[in-house]
Amino acid sequence: MLKYSLDGAETMKTLRNILPSNIVSTTGVLDIEITGIAFDSRKVCKGSLFVALPGQHIDGCAFIFDALERGAVAIMTEGTRKNIEVPVIKVDNARKALSEVSAKFYDNPSTKLSLLGITGTKGKTTITYLAQGIMRKAFGHSFRIGTVEYDMEYDKIPATNTTPESQVLQSLLDQALKNGIKHGILEVSSHSLKTWRVEDLSFTVAGFTNLSLEHTEFHPNMSDYFNAKKRFFTEIAHRDKQCIIGIDNEYGRRMANECRAAGMNVQTVSVHDHSASFYCEELRMSGVGSDFSICNGTEKHRCSVNLPGEYNVFNALMAAAMTRAAGADWESICAGLHAVKSVPGRLESIANDHGVNVIVDYAHSPDALENVLKTVRPITRKRLITVFGCGGNRSQEKRPVMGQIAAKNSDIIIVTSDNPRKEEPEAIINQIMTGMTEELVSGKTVLHDPDRRSAIFKALKMAEAGDTVVIAGKGHETGQYFADRTMPFDDREVARSFFRKNEDEN
């Protein structure tokens, strides 16, 4: 198999010329042709290099012989393997090695395009949709890789991770170039930053939204969480990239200061702080969106966004600042922001004939839930009913906090399961409800039901014209994860099925 560069020249990849820098030892002949790279033995084809990644539950070394049976011609691993007749490359960090060999195999495609990366706790997905809308107006084409899907324009791939593994990323960027798409945006998770997925990518622009309580099952403390994000700006390739940092959060202000101290090129974003590089004036918000002027130095441009809430004004400012840094003109920025009508599972409205405002949102952190509830309150004529839960095997610290926020900002609260994974749903619910003090729930209705479908149906059955029902936590997700199975489950479809059932009965 031959690899083709963009100018049509044929290049053959050998094991020797894609070797990583962190080699411990090698065995076997290195001057053999490599036709592909795989870290999943099921994806191995004849001529592949199989990289055995260490895992939380299963080590990739367990699949080496399966990879060999499928045609792997070389193995890369952290362990010492005997009785393997093909070349074996031992490395000190297999994930880091996978990133480096993938970049070499695909000829570093990120250096040949304009790649934007956005990180932070909240807002990443919405910003990618807005930025893609802008770049399509400015440059004709744009890909978007993130939590919901990998939208490459010529193909839409369901997302398996917010940020794909390094080999998948390099392959996606390589294919984007071959399809003539030279601009795009990537969601960069803290997991990906700690597991070397974006280590060998070249970013034109790097953005930071905010940081709040989340992922404590992965990060031992907020300092570790912050430092993982900081790596994106101070350590990942291309130190001359533009850094666009939101400062409406104490961690954002700290990030901006530390990046400046490290010599980075920093511009800041704020909804209200006029000392920021990008801020807004003449803000007018409604239940369906906002219009405002984006101010940048002496320039002022009137824009609008079809997504409600002040936090979506911030998301729009971030998208504008990042794409401006990538070369987009202001006409395209304003047109691109206005072109995005909705984002899957983010304040997504469910149509019905009952006069009930039904909102499905991905909010699964304290700040996100509070933002959503405060955003929908002004458009709620009567009661605000909130259905939510917390994921199992994820941050436990946030559970009572989210219970407190739901109780404080809602009239009726129904606590249910999210993705329980390996935890007991009732145990998670009990932790959430410890945050609901008697003072907070006085005069309010608080229910709990571990069956998420039943809980959603209860909320919708209770709802009257003028009420708002917020179904929070899963957003765009189409499955519910248990210890031993994943069940098809989509909050949006469950809500629609309730209204269909109601219509059939009437």
Side-chain angles (χ1 to χ4, degrees):
M1 175 181 173
L2 295 174
K3 297 294 292 179
Y4 294 87
S5 65
L6 292 179
D7 62 6
E10 298 179 357
T11 57
M12 184 182 77
K13 300 298 181 185
T14 67
L15 180 58
R16 185 183 298 279
N17 61 28
I18 64 169
L19 288 175
S21 57
N22 63 338
I23 294 173
V24 175
S25 64
T26 67
T27 63
V29 177
L30 302 181
D31 295 308
I32 58 170
E33 182 181 0
I34 298 297
T35 62
I37 298 173
F39 57 89
D40 181 337
S41 65
R42 294 168 297 183
K43 304 283 180 67
V44 168
C45 298
K46 186 176 180 181
S48 294
L49 164 65
F50 176 64
V51 183
L53 299 179
Q56 279 187 308
H57 307 294
I58 302 175
D59 195 316
C61 288
F63 300 98
I64 286 176
F65 289 102
D66 180 54
L68 292 172
E69 287 181 4
R70 293 173 186 266
V73 295
I75 303 296
M76 189 168 288
T77 176
E78 292 179 13
T80 301
R81 308 298 297 183
K82 296 181 179 180
N83 303 319
I84 296 178
E85 296 182 357
V86 302
V88 176
I89 313 302
K90 183 178 179 181
V91 294
D92 61 17
N93 184 317
R95 290 186 180 277
K96 187 175 181 180
L98 176 65
S99 175
E100 191 174 347
V101 300
S102 297
K104 290 180 177 180
F105 181 80
Y106 293 104
D107 294 320
N108 294 291
S110 64
T111 63
K112 303 169 188 135
L113 49 75
S114 181
L115 178 63
L116 283 60
I118 182 69
T119 195
T121 304
K122 307 186 304 295
K124 297 188 298 296
T125 298
T126 298
I127 290 167
T128 63
Y129 274 80
L130 293 168
Q132 184 187 40
I134 293 168
M135 289 190 286
R136 282 176 170 170
K137 296 288 184 183
F139 310 119
H141 301 281
S142 173
F143 60 81
R144 167 179 46 80
I145 301 173
T147 303
V148 176
E149 63 191 359
Y150 310 150
D151 178 5
M152 307 306 293
E153 287 205 353
Y154 53 85
D155 193 16
K156 285 189 178 182
I157 305 163
T160 51
N161 301 102
T162 292
T163 311
E165 278 289 354
S166 55
Q167 181 273 330
V168 176
L169 273 172
Q170 297 288 355
S171 176
L172 288 172
L173 299 185
D174 176 59
Q175 290 302 312
L177 278 173
K178 289 174 179 176
N179 280 275
I181 302 172
K182 297 183 178 181
H183 295 81
I185 186 163
L186 166 68
E187 287 186 53
V188 180
S189 67
S190 60
H191 289 63
S192 71
L193 288 161
K194 289 195 73 171
T195 56
W196 311 94
R197 294 181 199 172
V198 298
E199 197 68 18
D200 292 277
L201 293 180
S202 178
F203 290 90
T204 305
V205 182
F208 177 83
T209 59
N210 47 60
L211 207 67
S212 61
L213 183 62
E214 184 70 306
H215 300 307
T216 57
E217 80 289 346
F218 187 73
H219 299 284
N221 50 54
M222 288 298 289
S223 178
D224 183 80
Y225 191 17
F226 176 85
N227 287 329
K229 298 292 191 185
K230 183 181 172 182
R231 284 196 68 246
F232 183 44
F233 301 91
T234 59
E235 296 181 28
I236 301 300
H238 257 324
R239 285 183 56 85
D240 60 346
K241 62 183 174 288
Q242 293 274 339
C243 299
I244 308 296
I245 299 177
I247 57 171
D248 285 344
N249 173 280
E250 63 174 299
Y251 284 104
R253 293 186 287 274
R254 176 181 165 190
M255 185 71 75
N257 290 335
E258 294 191 14
C259 285
R260 284 195 185 103
M264 309 304 296
N265 184 352
V266 173
Q267 295 189 70
T268 54
V269 172
S270 172
V271 175
H272 299 294
D273 187 345
H274 289 199
S275 71
S277 310
F278 294 81
Y279 61 92
C280 80
E281 288 184 346
E282 302 155 356
L283 171 60
R284 295 185 306 207
M285 295 190 294
S286 72
V288 295
S290 303
D291 60 269
F292 45 88
S293 293
I294 300 179
C295 301
N296 175 221
T298 59
E299 295 185 274
K300 182 187 287 190
H301 302 273
R302 196 69 185 165
C303 295
S304 63
V305 64
N306 295 301
L307 306 172
E310 186 174 294
Y311 64 96
N312 277 320
V313 175
F314 172 82
N315 291 337
L317 288 172
M318 283 293 298
M322 291 181 70
T323 53
R324 182 65 177 159
D329 60 277
W330 279 108
E331 183 179 353
S332 296
I333 289 171
C334 295
L337 290 176
H338 186 72
V340 177
K341 304 303 181 185
S342 65
V343 178
R346 274 67 178 173
L347 288 177
E348 189 169 352
S349 182
I350 305 301
N352 64 88
D353 296 327
H354 293 230
V356 179
N357 189 24
V358 181
I359 301 293
V360 172
D361 195 272
Y362 190 53
H364 59 280
S365 69
D367 283 1
L369 182 62
E370 185 171 28
N371 282 340
V372 168
L373 297 181
K374 287 185 174 180
T375 294
V376 302
R377 176 58 81 177
I379 60 172
T380 302
R381 290 191 290 112
K382 294 183 178 179
R383 301 171 301 173
L384 176 51
I385 304 170
T386 302
V387 183
F388 81 106
C390 290
N393 302 111
R394 297 294 185 268
S395 172
Q396 296 191 16
E397 292 88 339
K398 70 181 182 182
R399 294 172 185 174
V401 180
M402 291 181 68
Q404 181 183 51
I405 288 168
K408 183 178 179 180
N409 293 282
S410 312
D411 301 299
I412 299 173
I413 307 99
I414 304 178
V415 186
T416 186
S417 293
D418 190 286
N419 293 313
R421 298 183 178 89
K422 294 184 178 180
E423 290 193 63
E424 288 296 325
E426 289 282 7
I428 298 173
I429 289 171
N430 290 338
Q431 286 181 307
I432 293 169
M433 295 186 70
T434 60
M436 300 183 185
T437 63
E438 289 186 18
E439 181 182 2
L440 282 175
V441 300
S442 177
K444 300 182 178 183
T445 301
V446 179
L447 305 172
H448 62 91
D449 185 343
D451 184 321
R452 191 172 179 92
R453 182 183 299 272
S454 171
I456 292 171
F457 272 38
K458 281 179 182 176
L460 297 175
K461 190 173 183 179
M462 295 170 71
E464 302 170 354
D467 290 344
T468 295
V469 177
V470 172
I471 306 168
K474 290 176 60 60
H476 65 281
E477 293 180 354
T478 57
Q480 189 172 21
Y481 305 104
F482 296 87
D484 57 347
R485 67 197 187 283
T486 298
M487 300 292 292
F489 198 99
D490 186 325
D491 284 352
R492 299 163 298 183
E493 285 304 313
V494 171
R496 292 183 187 114
S497 72
F498 171 85
F499 292 117
R500 286 196 298 268
K501 181 174 182 291
N502 200 277
E503 289 170 5
D504 291 342
E505 290 175 354
N506 290 336

